[in-house]
Amino acid sequence: MKSSFINISGKNYFIQNYTLNQILLHHPDLSEPRWWSFQGAAYRWGNDFVFQLSESFSRENYMGLNAIKAGGGIPLVDVWNKEFGLAIAYLGEKPCDISLPVIVENGKVSLGIKENYKNQILIPGDSLVSVQTAIIVHKNDFYDAIRMYSILMKPFLPDFQKPPDLAYQPEWCTWGYSRNFKPEQILSKLEHLKALGIRSVILDDGWSANHGDWIPDPKKFPDGDEDFKRLINKIHESGLKVWLWWVPGYTDSTSLLAAQHPDWLIKNKGGSVNPSYGLCPAYQPVQEDYKKLVGKFVEEFKLDGFKLDFPEINSAPPCYNPKHHHKDPYESFYSTPILFQNICETARLYNPDMVIEYCSCSIPPTIFHLPWTNLMVTSDPDISQITQRIKFYKALMGDDFPVLEEYCGILAEPSYQLTIGTGGVPGTFSTYLDNYHEKWLNIYQKYRLSKGGEYLNLYDIGFDYPEAHLIKKDRKFYYAFYTHPWKQSGSPRAWNRFGKEHDFSVKEGQPEIEFPKENYSGKVDFRGLDKDVKYRVIDYVNNKELGIIKGDQPYLQVSFDDYLLLELNPLK
């Protein structure tokens, strides 16, 4: 929907902003006043996308920069309770200078969309047309609202990419060594990685001398590009693929690029360089330089994938650099999707099966960038956020779209279980790869719920306990039930370690961290079954039959700690 505003006052009218779709919600049942919410604005590393609203709450949900290097996101907010849900969203082909404020007070929730107009004057008889918006009414949690939003955005965005098979394969990342990895540490692991079923190695942060120049670190690669290519070639010779971590759109203040091309940098109103050290995506020399860089990475280095990382890839500040001749300083903000389009299209010229992972570092991704990626990632979650984020990406990108979880075997239990049961793709940066990893990677490869299945949104992530997820694949139903043991520890971001090799996240000598077990004993409800069919219930982790149930009596008495992953196979 759009709105038009006409100045009929007979005098100039000063416009700073306007608000649309102002909605006030009140829960009539005081015995169950809880509201849950999805809020898509990107603020800071680690914020929940999905959470229960407190009795007093206020967030602007500004879709521009909310910190020096964090902003953008999904221009949608959703609130729901046990009875219904309501979402409001912006629809368009590029980022927009808007906010979607959510306020809770006195038992009421208000939502709206506010567009900023940067002090525009509307002369008598003149008019302006608002941004296009949508109001989405739904039941259950945020999934149906996000799925409908994805459908409504189709006229405005290119179709999402069809992911290559490599995007569904487990990967191992060097981040377990932080920035201190050594080439010999990688090479010593290759045969073991292959034996575990891992198919790709990500050379993470630490390969380059700095961020921006993207020159191999001479301490690790004395011969520069030639040494770096030798490492890539050796990984390829082992039968594994190689992805490269880097950060498009920004540079370090100490980089050669910043010194040699100060005219490329985003500048503030007063002429100073923006502290983000962003490169203006609306300035053509910047775009051309990135095309050359991507060509070098893919054609010369023979890379198979990119991991595009850091919160700053999500947005850009307004640019006042006089050398760019912007008609509007927000051209930099509006142009960020073009940067990712160029990266994707250039990479695929040289490698049509190139994997492009988009990692916005624990903040919601900018939807206008996502048509140019083919692998999403839960993006630095804590243990309580894994299933929410996988469910979010399945709703937004499609049931069959791969969602990587890189912290398997790193976050304390049960990270593999949370990933596999909800249809995610397991990955790890653990530096010690024992039979624990082997067990779960084998289970993933056997069932591969990340591909070819249909996610059925029949459980509410806010109100159903135990938490439940359902994927239908090849006529079989795969249920995942979870308790929340991390709530007992008070720290959902706890680290785990297997074996003796040192992980970057665990101080030497620190004991392994484990959550206390949380048991559930009672009935589980198998929703979505055919009432005229009987089903064999199998615990597919332990290969154990639990019984046969009828579709019209879809309940089973169970007792489990932390997780229960089940396959229901229809009987003839």
Side-chain angles (χ1 to χ4, degrees):
M1 65 184 73
K2 286 187 176 182
S3 298
S4 295
F5 301 90
I6 302 174
N7 182 1
I8 60 173
S9 68
K11 57 184 179 181
N12 289 346
Y13 193 85
F14 177 73
I15 298 176
Q16 212 167 9
N17 57 62
Y18 63 83
T19 300
L20 297 171
N21 304 342
Q22 189 74 49
I23 297 171
L24 188 65
L25 302 173
H26 176 59
H27 200 304
D29 183 2
L30 296 180
S31 66
E32 184 51 89
R34 289 185 297 164
W35 292 89
W36 278 73
S37 185
F38 170 91
Q39 298 185 24
Y43 275 87
R44 60 186 63 86
W45 190 91
N47 272 15
D48 289 327
F49 303 0
V50 179
F51 52 93
Q52 184 179 335
L53 289 172
S54 59
E55 293 182 3
S56 178
F57 176 88
S58 178
R59 182 182 290 177
E60 183 69 10
N61 286 303
Y62 177 54
M63 298 309 301
L65 281 182
N66 291 301
I68 291 175
K69 294 186 178 182
I74 307 295
L76 176 146
V77 293
D78 179 39
V79 296
W80 78 92
N81 56 33
K82 280 189 172 182
E83 307 300 325
F84 74 99
L86 188 143
I88 57 174
Y90 157 70
L91 305 177
E93 61 185 14
K94 63 182 180 180
C96 189
D97 188 24
I98 59 171
S99 302
L100 296 95
V102 177
I103 300 171
V104 183
E105 56 185 359
N106 300 323
K108 298 177 181 179
V109 182
S110 70
L111 304 86
I113 293 183
K114 182 175 73 175
E115 182 176 11
N116 300 311
Y117 251 81
K118 299 179 283 293
N119 304 327
Q120 180 172 325
I121 295 176
L122 201 65
I123 64 175
D126 205 355
S127 64
L128 66 85
V129 178
S130 76
V131 296
Q132 187 154 336
T133 64
I135 298 175
I136 303 168
V137 180
H138 64 96
K139 288 195 172 183
N140 295 327
D141 62 25
F142 66 89
Y143 181 96
D144 288 342
I146 298 289
R147 175 55 60 88
M148 178 54 67
Y149 170 68
S150 183
I151 293 170
L152 293 173
M153 284 292 284
K154 282 185 177 294
F156 301 96
L157 295 179
D159 291 340
F160 294 130
Q161 302 279 320
K162 179 175 173 56
D165 185 66
L166 187 61
Y168 297 91
Q169 298 282 359
E171 54 74 33
W172 177 78
C173 177
T174 61
W175 188 239
Y177 294 109
S178 189
R179 296 181 176 90
N180 305 312
F181 75 82
K182 300 174 183 178
E184 55 266 30
Q185 291 171 318
I186 299 170
L187 296 175
S188 68
K189 284 181 163 51
L190 298 181
E191 292 305 314
H192 190 193
L193 294 174
K194 285 170 57 182
L196 291 173
I198 287 169
R199 293 292 175 262
S200 297
V201 171
I202 299 179
L203 302 176
D204 210 293
D205 195 1
W207 70 269
S208 60
N210 59 43
H211 300 164
D213 293 332
W214 307 118
I215 298 169
D217 185 349
K219 295 177 182 177
K220 297 174 183 175
F221 307 100
D223 285 343
D225 284 359
E226 294 307 310
D227 270 352
F228 194 57
K229 286 189 284 188
R230 274 191 282 271
L231 173 62
I232 294 170
N233 290 340
K234 287 179 180 179
I235 297 172
H236 279 154
E237 288 167 4
S238 76
L240 294 171
K241 302 294 186 180
V242 185
W243 308 358
L244 190 67
W245 177 99
W246 61 291
V247 187
Y250 288 81
T251 189
D252 287 347
S253 60
T254 55
S255 68
L256 288 173
L257 187 149
Q260 294 173 357
H261 298 285
D263 55 310
W264 293 8
L265 295 168
I266 292 174
K267 290 192 174 182
N268 299 321
K269 262 187 178 180
S272 61
V273 174
N274 187 277
S276 67
Y277 270 78
L279 303 171
C280 181
Y283 191 47
Q284 194 60 32
V286 172
Q287 294 284 1
E288 294 303 318
D289 190 66
Y290 274 116
K291 289 179 183 178
K292 292 177 183 176
L293 180 66
V294 171
K296 176 182 177 179
F297 282 160
V298 187
E299 184 181 30
E300 184 180 337
F301 288 1
K302 306 299 182 186
L303 293 167
D304 307 289
F306 288 150
K307 177 182 178 180
L308 307 179
D309 196 22
F310 271 21
E312 47 261 52
I313 70 174
N314 230 30
S315 189
C319 180
Y320 297 87
N321 193 322
K323 293 190 177 182
H324 299 178
H325 305 292
H326 296 313
K327 294 180 181 178
D328 180 346
Y330 277 75
E331 287 178 11
S332 54
F333 172 67
Y334 303 140
S335 298
T336 57
I338 301 172
L339 175 61
F340 292 92
Q341 179 180 355
N342 285 338
I343 290 171
C344 175
E345 291 180 344
T346 304
R348 294 186 68 180
L349 281 176
Y350 301 104
N351 182 353
D353 293 324
M354 189 77 175
V355 173
I356 301 178
E357 174 192 341
Y358 188 95
C359 180
S360 50
C361 268
S362 206
I363 59 176
T366 293
I367 187 171
F368 308 100
H369 300 172
L370 301 190
W372 312 111
T373 182
N374 53 28
L375 174 62
M376 296 310 298
V377 61
T378 56
S379 186
D380 300 331
D382 66 39
I383 197 78
S384 68
Q385 296 169 336
I386 292 174
T387 58
Q388 296 175 357
R389 293 187 182 179
I390 293 174
K391 184 170 187 173
F392 159 66
Y393 285 118
K394 294 291 184 182
L396 183 67
M397 311 288 284
D399 298 338
D400 212 34
F401 206 89
V403 185
L404 178 64
E405 171 48 66
E406 293 182 302
Y407 282 69
C408 290
I410 299 293
L411 289 174
E413 293 272 28
S415 49
Y416 269 112
Q417 297 90 319
L418 293 166
T419 302
I420 293 170
T422 50
V425 179
T428 187
F429 55 84
S430 176
T431 58
Y432 186 81
L433 298 165
D434 60 358
N435 56 10
Y436 175 85
H437 294 273
E438 182 178 18
K439 169 188 173 179
W440 286 103
L441 290 170
N442 284 340
I443 290 172
Y444 169 74
Q445 294 288 20
K446 181 177 180 180
Y447 295 96
R448 195 77 74 88
L449 299 182
S450 60
K451 186 176 184 181
E454 178 186 4
Y455 186 98
L456 299 177
N457 186 42
L458 301 179
Y459 297 93
D460 190 313
I461 208 164
F463 291 98
D464 282 318
Y465 184 84
E467 180 184 326
H469 300 265
L470 169 58
I471 295 171
K472 184 179 181 181
K473 182 177 180 180
D474 300 330
R475 296 186 64 246
K476 298 177 182 179
F477 294 80
Y478 293 90
Y479 293 84
F481 297 100
Y482 304 110
T483 60
H484 297 150
W486 47 86
K487 289 185 177 179
Q488 301 178 46
S489 74
S491 177
R493 185 170 288 280
W495 306 99
N496 214 333
R497 175 171 57 159
F498 300 96
K500 295 182 179 180
E501 188 163 354
H502 178 57
D503 281 350
F504 86 103
S505 54
V506 183
K507 293 180 179 179
E508 200 66 48
Q510 181 175 324
E512 181 179 329
I513 300 167
E514 291 186 358
F515 290 125
K517 301 294 184 184
E518 180 170 304
N519 179 265
Y520 174 79
S521 294
K523 286 184 177 180
V524 289
D525 174 10
F526 298 110
R527 300 174 190 172
L529 299 178
D530 187 328
K531 293 183 178 181
D532 298 324
V533 177
K534 291 182 179 180
Y535 297 86
R536 178 174 285 110
V537 182
I538 299 170
D539 173 350
Y540 65 83
V541 173
N542 299 299
N543 197 25
K544 180 181 178 182
E545 183 175 331
L546 301 185
I548 295 175
I549 64 165
K550 297 178 179 179
D552 60 352
Q553 297 176 356
Y555 304 99
L556 186 69
Q557 191 76 23
V558 299
S559 180
F560 65 91
D561 291 334
D562 299 350
Y563 68 92
L564 182 63
L565 305 182
L566 302 177
E567 176 190 83
L568 269 66
N569 199 345
L571 301 178
K572 294 182 180 179

